């Protein structure tokens, strides 16, 4: 019996190890024909069966293993850890049992983190779960961070989490907005350079940047109505609670004229980019203009 575990590396390995424990398997077998043949034969000190990690297996090594896997007895469990199978291996799994564990995204990732925290014995507030979900790290790295948070004394606050979490937050529209509003020219263009190096599309970034300023505008208007907004008020911003709170922080003290001019500068930049002009140049000019519209001025 061959069972392949695919999808997210962390979830696939965890599920494989759980299955292995049920079947009395305790260690990975070297992915060679000789080692696999030996593991499939019952010995004096244990039942037959094998766990193979195929993540670093080449096409040639797979071809050597395949005949043994095809002839594996039904009563002998062979568990394969193969998060991202090649086309050939994926075709092989079509006629075998395949358990796939996709990497959770968006709200599913937030829910995953909340559930993992419960398993570790603590409650993860929604805002902190959303913050962790925004960080640059795979599920295994996030699990290590949750293990650290489990040791912190309650209550768990965002400030505590930011002090102990080692993962790097991704550059986002918020980073650009904050750098612009603080008049930090070096930080703003450093963020732009990093995004460009990471292959970010300038039009997409312009759209994200415009969305951030639109959110700022909604937050600014909300603060005018109610300088001390409630949780119910935050829902009107149509953003995740964490993003909404950050927008309120940035909007406090922002002059109406600067906000309107900033939105206009972004509209003009998007128009130039879509007219066929250099989109990165349009974006950089927009950031330069925004830096000179903020109360802090360029630094």
């Amino acid at each position: 019996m061959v069972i392949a575990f695919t999808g997210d590396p962390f979830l696939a390995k965890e599920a494989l190890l759980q299955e292995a424990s049920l079947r009395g398997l305790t260690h990975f077998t070297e992915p060679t024909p000789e080692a696999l043949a030996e593991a499939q034969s019952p010995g004096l000190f244990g039942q037959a069966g094998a766990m193979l990690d195929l993540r670093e297996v080449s096409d040639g090594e797979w071809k050597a293993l395949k005949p043994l896997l095809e002839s594996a007895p039904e009563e002998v469990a062979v568990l394969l850890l193969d998060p991202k199978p090649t086309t050939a291996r994926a075709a092989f799994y079509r006629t075998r049992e395949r358990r796939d564990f996709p990497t959770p995204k968006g709200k599913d990732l937030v829910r995953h983190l909340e559930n993992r925290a419960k398993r570790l014995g603590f409650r993860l507030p929604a805002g902190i779960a959303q913050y962790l979900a925004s960080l640059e790290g795979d599920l295994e790295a996030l699990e290590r961070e949750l293990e650290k948070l489990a040791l912190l004394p309650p209550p768990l606050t965002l400030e505590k989490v930011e002090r102990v979490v080692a993962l790097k937050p991704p550059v986002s529209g918020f980073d650009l907005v904050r750098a612009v509003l603080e008049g930090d020219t070096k930080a703003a263009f450093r963020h732009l350079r990093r995004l460009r190096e990471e292959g970010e599309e300038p039009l997409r970034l312009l759209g994200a940047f415009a969305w951030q300023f639109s959110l700022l505008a909604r937050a600014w208007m909300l603060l005018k109505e109610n300088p001390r907004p409630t949780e119910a008020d935050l829902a009107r911003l149509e953003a995740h609670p964490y993003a909404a709170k950050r927008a309120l922080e940035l909007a406090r003290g922002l002059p109406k004229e600067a906000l309107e001019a900033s939105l206009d500068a972004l509209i003009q930049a998007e128009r130039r980019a879509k007219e066929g002009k250099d989109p990165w140049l349009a974006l950089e000019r927009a950031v330069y203009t925004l830096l000179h519209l903020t109360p802090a001025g360029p630094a």
Side-chain angles (χ1 to χ4, degrees), residues 53-190:
D53 187 343
L54 302 184
R55 286 178 290 185
E56 302 297 329
V57 167
S58 67
D59 290 342
E61 291 169 325
W62 166 250
K63 288 179 181 178
L65 290 169
K66 186 179 176 184
L68 286 171
L69 294 172
E70 288 175 328
S71 61
E74 186 63 25
E75 67 275 11
V76 176
V78 181
L79 311 182
L80 306 179
L81 178 59
D82 197 2
K84 308 296 179 187
T86 63
T87 302
R89 299 204 296 265
F92 177 77
Y93 300 152
R94 289 195 196 108
T95 55
R96 273 83 184 173
E97 184 175 350
R98 175 176 175 174
R99 302 181 188 177
D100 192 57
F101 301 87
T103 301
K105 303 288 186 184
K107 292 181 180 178
D108 289 337
L109 177 55
V110 172
R111 194 175 303 113
H112 165 85
L113 293 170
E114 291 171 340
N115 290 335
R116 301 297 295 198
K118 286 180 184 177
R119 290 178 57 173
L120 292 169
F122 72 101
R123 177 183 170 278
L124 193 65
I128 293 175
Q130 289 161 4
Y131 169 73
L132 292 175
S134 75
L135 301 178
E136 292 184 350
D138 56 22
L139 292 190
E140 185 169 6
L142 288 168
E143 185 77 8
R144 302 290 83 80
E145 298 303 330
L146 288 174
E147 290 170 357
K148 288 195 292 186
L149 298 184
L151 303 176
L152 293 179
L156 196 61
T157 65
L158 185 58
E159 290 72 25
K160 285 182 182 179
V161 172
E162 288 178 327
R163 282 198 298 269
V164 302
V165 167
L167 297 178
K168 182 172 60 175
V171 173
S172 68
F174 272 124
D175 297 296
L176 283 170
V177 171
R178 184 175 292 279
V180 167
L181 291 178
E182 293 176 351
D184 193 340
T185 303
K186 289 182 180 178
F189 283 97
R190 183 171 65 248

Side-chain angles (χ1 to χ4, degrees), residues 3-17:
I3 307 175
F5 294 79
T6 62
D8 184 87
F10 176 75
L11 297 179
K13 185 176 182 179
E14 184 176 65
L16 180 145
L17 292 176

Side-chain angles (χ1 to χ4, degrees), residues 194-208:
R194 180 177 161 193
L195 287 162
R196 188 169 189 170
E197 290 170 352
E198 292 176 354
E200 186 63 76
E201 289 292 331
L203 273 174
R204 180 182 170 190
L205 186 55
L206 265 173

